[in-house]
Amino acid sequence: MFSINMRRIYQRLSILGLLLMCLFYFGYSDRTESVSATAICVQDCEASEARCNDSCATSCSADSTDEECNSCVQSCNTRFESCMKNAVICSSGTGASYTPSCQVIFSKHCPYISGIQDCTGAAEVHYGYSTDCKTLGEQRCVACPDHEFCEGSYGLPPCY
């Protein structure tokens, strides 16, 4: 028979052979595993952007600042652009469906002077973001930061 050292060598060689057979079977055989990666739909990116813009209404409220509003809207835009880099157009009936409550507006912001909006060229007039939103029902309101008047709000009341 074999000596103890020879048995150990043969045991190790047989384990090594078994491992090599497994490696060949799972790594080099014709059996290929099919992996299907699912890309995100353009519709999902659009729905995500709309939800994000809706959440900006509080960042664009009268008690917030232009910087907070602009930062929120630009963050939504950056996330949307990042999402769209790998998005594909999905066939009808697939992808997320979302009805936005708010629409982002980029317009002139004017201060109130003696309770009247002044967009005639005062030093405080500037451009920035605001949101035109639906409230309960079909009522609309405008979230305009810094207690300003946002041109294009057409007399809609403030949201907050």
Side-chain angles (χ1 to χ4, degrees), residues 2 5 14 27 30 41 46 54 84 96-97 116 128 140 153:
F2 298 113
N5 287 338
S14 40
D30 287 338
C41 296
E46 290 169 344
D54 284 353
M84 289 296 286
S97 175
I116 300 171
R140 300 201 68 80
S153 59

Side-chain angles (χ1 to χ4, degrees), residues 106-140:
F106 187 80
S107 63
K108 191 186 297 186
H109 292 204
C110 310
Y112 281 99
I113 298 175
S114 300
I116 300 171
Q117 69 261 13
D118 182 14
C119 294
T120 60
E124 298 87 16
V125 173
H126 60 278
Y127 283 85
Y129 290 107
S130 59
T131 55
D132 176 344
C133 301
K134 271 191 292 191
T135 59
L136 295 173
E138 291 299 314
Q139 299 297 317
R140 300 201 68 80

Side-chain angles (χ1 to χ4, degrees), residues 36-134:
S36 62
T38 307
I40 192 161
C41 296
V42 168
Q43 295 93 323
D44 293 326
C45 295
E46 290 169 344
S48 177
E49 181 190 32
R51 277 190 292 277
C52 187
N53 286 337
D54 284 353
S55 73
C56 286
T58 53
S59 296
C60 295
S61 69
D63 293 329
S64 68
T65 64
D66 281 321
E67 291 78 22
E68 290 172 304
C69 183
N70 291 344
S71 176
C72 184
V73 170
Q74 289 171 352
S75 174
C76 293
N77 189 48
T78 300
R79 290 193 322 200
F80 175 70
E81 288 173 359
S82 177
C83 182
M84 289 296 286
K85 285 181 183 175
N86 298 314
V88 296
I89 297 174
C90 296
S91 61
S92 178
T94 60
S97 175
Y98 181 77
T99 303
S101 296
C102 297
Q103 176 183 357
V104 174
I105 303 168
F106 187 80
S107 63
K108 191 186 297 186
H109 292 204
C110 310
Y112 281 99
I113 298 175
S114 300
I116 300 171
Q117 69 261 13
D118 182 14
C119 294
T120 60
E124 298 87 16
V125 173
H126 60 278
Y127 283 85
Y129 290 107
S130 59
T131 55
D132 176 344
C133 301
K134 271 191 292 191

